[in-house]
Amino acid sequence: MKASTTDPLDIEHIRADFPILQREFDGTQLVYLDNAATSQTPEPVIDTIAEYYRTYNANVHRGLHQLSQEASIAYEEAHDRVAEFIGASGGREEIVFTKNTTESMNLVAYAWGLAELGPEDEIVTTQMEHHSSLVTWQQIGKKTGAEVKYIQIDEEGYLDMDHARELITDDTAMVSVAHVSNTLGTINPVSELADIAHDHGAYIFVDGAQSVPHQPVDVEAIDADFFAFSGHKMCGPTGIGVLYGKRELLESMQPYLYGGSMVRKVTYEETTFEELPWKFEAGTPVIGQGIALAAACDYLDEIGLERIQRHEHELAEYAYDRLTAFEDITVYGPPGNDRVGLVSFNLDSVHAHDLSSILNDHAVAIRAGDHCTQPLHDTLGTAASARASFYLYNTREEIDALIEGIDDARELFA
Amino acid sequence: MGLGSDMYRQQILDHYKNPRNYGELEEPTFSHTGENPTCGDTIQIDVVLADDEETIEHIAFSGDGCAISQASASLLTQQLQGMTLTELHELDRDDVIDMLGVEISPMRVKCAVLAEKVAQDGAKIHTGDIEIDTTQTE
């Protein structure tokens, strides 16, 4: 029976699903706190991939043999499962499988942006965007002449919504915003931004790479025109990303990649394209990964995203409180009780890369660097930061291990 | 223990905390800067050549960044004192890692070799062999 949405997670039971968490380095058990970069993969998802390759591996859509039929059905149904997971009532026709969030972003930037944007248009995004979005729109701006504008963040790492209302005008064609900041842990008011964008006749693209794995998401409640995320951050495999788009928008767009699978009738002169979503999935698609992503959705739903969110929230608050108790540690982003399960910080006396190397000695895996947000780090006034990010299998004891490692680093560099 | 602790032996920490030849020279024959954009490590190297236009008479560095990049710069300036530009160009990444005397994890090699690359590029710019603004290591 499914647990109630308020029951705490059975961490021991969950950890048993992730064999990698048992790894030891020189006798010390791995403490994996780099989940915002990629999450670990549970047995049911690994089994799903293995079963696909062991029992029904075949190319999809075109084969008439039994294996191809099985693979085709599983692959197509995976789109429906993902649609259900994020509240897309249009089903598979609104779900395009890509290789990652970045490719989803580029698909829209090229298929919609290059066709629709001109020097009279503006793209509004934020100072806290991941390079996947920031670099893509910056380059599309250079190609089309459209101007890219950035909504400022305030001292606490929240979006300045007054500035957002100032920037989003009738000249705005696209608002592109991260649902959750991968560096600050800020949860952005994407529904409110969608309303502002729509009031001005603009579309909104929401980057859900850091939200979909960790909280219930309903793209229709947000009223996102486009929404993207990656499989490997949500217990799924690498090599699969998702683009959700409102059906009429996807229908109006030309394909981004051309080739096999996405065509109906081809002559030497002309080609007609497949229906949604296949017209955006040229070539042999991500079959095994797509089927496994559906299994990851099942896995997360079985446990319950509300419970996962609550668990991570508690961990984030605990980590925030422990880290901010030290005067020589700077924590970036909103207060501990209003952030997702990640904390970026710097220890005054130790560069983030040195800290990460020393933590590695304690078998503690964190991210150190710019987290693909170089301009945001410029705004924060630092080149790099350390980031601990949590998921459903992490514990308070693992945060204690992080703090111990930080203590060691401080001592070593004293 | 893993690679991490080995990287922070006494010599590295000593040179990081008490860098040798740190600062800028007043009238350098050449001065050049470099960075690791993704880490934020920066190094500037100033060199005064002897009258033979070949021997490094004075050398200093300044910069900011992780212990590996800064200690490596400090150690390198000690080693380069009195060496010729020809000898400088003969140095490769293995020499730098030998100089550090510790095992450098693959992801950190770019930090270790930044100072060496900056010194070499600075010399090449001075002799007119290359034209670049800054050096970057990845």
Side-chain angles (χ1 to χ4, degrees):
Chain A
M1 208 181 87
K2 209 171 153 175
S4 140
T5 56
T6 54
D7 286 353
L9 297 182
D10 179 355
I11 299 298
E12 207 178 321
H13 193 198
I14 288 170
R15 287 182 73 87
D17 288 335
F18 295 84
I20 200 169
L21 298 177
Q22 300 309 314
R23 272 200 70 175
E24 292 186 353
F25 301 97
D26 298 316
T28 308
Q29 192 172 319
L30 167 69
V31 173
Y32 186 76
L33 302 179
D34 194 17
N35 295 285
T38 201
S39 61
Q40 296 304 340
T41 320
E43 293 277 22
V45 175
I46 297 171
D47 289 347
T48 301
I49 297 181
E51 190 199 0
Y52 165 72
Y53 283 109
R54 287 207 175 100
T55 65
Y56 62 102
N57 175 34
N59 214 326
V60 292
H61 300 325
R62 59 185 74 82
L64 294 178
H65 56 81
Q66 180 66 25
L67 291 184
S68 179
Q69 287 177 37
E70 289 177 17
S72 296
I73 290 168
Y75 181 68
E76 290 168 13
E77 286 180 347
H79 289 69
D80 296 331
R81 180 66 188 90
V82 170
E84 183 199 354
F85 189 72
I86 58 166
S89 59
R92 67 182 65 175
E93 295 183 350
E94 296 186 320
I95 299 293
V96 180
F97 282 174
T98 61
K99 85 169 174 267
N100 48 34
T101 306
T102 300
E103 190 187 311
S104 300
M105 181 71 67
N106 275 268
L107 193 163
V108 173
Y110 279 83
W112 174 84
L114 282 190
E116 301 293 334
L117 294 172
E120 69 286 0
D121 293 311
E122 293 176 358
I123 301 159
V124 174
T125 180
T126 78
Q127 283 188 330
M128 64 172 88
E129 292 307 294
H130 189 280
H131 293 163
S132 64
S133 138
L134 195 151
V135 176
T136 304
W137 291 121
Q138 180 190 73
Q139 295 303 312
I140 291 296
K142 288 184 196 298
K143 284 177 197 289
T144 60
E147 189 182 350
V148 183
K149 295 184 165 180
Y150 299 94
I151 303 168
Q152 292 165 3
I153 56 168
D154 67 16
E155 292 283 306
E156 284 194 302
Y158 292 109
L159 279 185
D160 177 345
M161 289 301 287
D162 288 336
H163 193 228
R165 281 182 207 93
E166 203 177 299
L167 287 191
I168 300 169
T169 67
D170 290 346
D171 292 329
T172 308
M174 173 63 81
V175 175
S176 183
V177 58
H179 194 173
V180 164
S181 162
N182 75 321
T183 302
L184 300 169
T186 316
I187 306 158
N188 288 322
V190 286
S191 182
E192 192 181 340
L193 286 161
D195 287 346
I196 300 170
H198 293 152
D199 283 348
H200 291 282
Y203 296 119
I204 185 163
F205 188 121
V206 178
D207 167 5
Q210 298 294 343
S211 64
V212 170
H214 307 285
Q215 64 189 65
V217 166
D218 184 327
V219 292
E220 291 181 1
I222 294 168
D223 201 12
D225 297 296
F226 298 102
F227 191 99
F229 55 100
S230 293
H232 69 96
K233 294 188 201 290
M234 53 179 287
C235 296
T238 56
I240 174 127
V242 174
L243 172 68
Y244 158 83
K246 285 181 179 167
R247 186 193 165 125
E248 63 273 19
L249 265 170
L250 291 177
E251 261 171 0
S252 72
M253 284 156 52
Q254 289 295 304
Y256 162 52
L257 296 172
Y258 297 93
S261 281
M262 49 81 70
V263 297
R264 275 198 170 156
K265 182 164 175 58
V266 182
T267 68
Y268 286 117
E269 291 76 29
E270 291 297 332
T271 297
T272 53
F273 304 123
E274 261 291 1
E275 294 291 317
L276 290 175
W278 320 123
K279 79 169 182 183
F280 291 113
E281 294 188 4
T284 295
V286 284
I287 307 166
Q289 295 96 318
I291 294 167
L293 177 61
C297 293
D298 289 343
Y299 183 80
L300 293 172
D301 268 348
E302 184 66 32
I303 292 166
L305 278 154
E306 292 92 348
R307 296 171 72 210
I308 293 170
Q309 185 180 20
R310 184 183 302 257
H311 174 72
E312 289 177 29
H313 189 84
E314 283 166 12
L315 289 178
E317 194 162 6
Y318 180 65
Y320 184 89
D321 289 347
R322 291 225 51 187
L323 288 166
T324 51
F326 298 100
E327 278 185 8
D328 61 351
I329 291 179
T330 307
V331 177
Y332 305 101
N337 59 4
D338 189 29
R339 56 163 61 228
V340 297
L342 69 87
V343 185
S344 297
F345 62 95
N346 265 313
L347 177 59
D348 284 351
S349 55
V350 185
H351 188 280
H353 284 149
D354 294 324
L355 178 61
S356 177
S357 290
I358 292 160
L359 286 169
N360 185 48
D361 258 17
H362 292 249
V364 176
I366 62 156
R367 173 80 182 262
D370 58 44
H371 322 317
C372 293
T373 56
Q374 284 182 26
L376 174 60
H377 276 80
D378 289 343
T379 303
L380 297 172
T382 181
S385 61
R387 180 185 68 190
S389 54
F390 317 117
Y391 210 5
L392 68 167
Y393 36 68
N394 289 122
T395 64
R396 281 182 174 233
E397 290 71 31
E398 291 181 307
I399 293 168
D400 294 339
L402 166 71
I403 300 290
E404 264 176 49
I406 294 171
D407 287 343
D408 258 22
R410 184 188 288 113
E411 206 173 303
L412 196 58
F413 277 74
Chain B
M1 295 295 261
L3 286 170
S5 65
D6 285 352
M7 279 200 306
Y8 298 96
R9 288 213 193 116
Q10 208 48 49
Q11 178 180 247
I12 302 273
L13 290 170
D14 176 38
H15 276 264
Y16 177 60
K17 292 178 201 168
N18 310 295
R20 321 296 199 270
N21 305 310
Y22 192 87
E24 296 182 13
L25 298 180
E26 268 186 22
E27 286 182 20
T29 314
F30 63 85
S31 173
H32 185 55
T33 58
E35 60 177 352
N36 292 320
T38 54
C39 308
D41 299 331
T42 60
I43 294 284
Q44 175 182 321
I45 288 194
D46 293 1
V47 169
V48 171
L49 290 179
D51 292 339
D52 64 3
E53 274 290 305
E54 172 70 10
T55 307
I56 296 171
E57 200 165 67
H58 298 295
I59 182 165
F61 86 97
S62 52
D64 198 15
C66 70
I68 305 297
S69 71
Q70 303 302 307
S72 171
S74 172
L75 282 156
L76 185 76
T77 55
Q78 280 191 322
Q79 184 170 346
L80 288 179
Q81 198 84 40
M83 275 174 78
T84 64
L85 296 186
T86 309
E87 287 169 326
L88 165 64
H89 291 310
E90 281 166 1
L91 292 178
D92 62 19
R93 72 169 47 189
D94 289 342
D95 294 319
V96 173
I97 291 167
D98 286 350
M99 178 186 78
L100 288 166
V102 297
E103 205 177 332
I104 298 293
S105 67
M107 300 301 287
R108 303 301 295 282
V109 169
K110 64 176 186 291
C111 310
V113 300
L114 177 61
E116 175 213 38
K117 192 86 183 7
V118 171
Q120 289 173 339
D121 283 355
K124 283 183 197 158
I125 295 166
H126 173 65
T127 51
D129 291 317
I130 55 168
E131 277 184 46
I132 54 168
D133 288 336
T134 56
T135 292
Q136 295 189 345
T137 58
E138 281 306 326

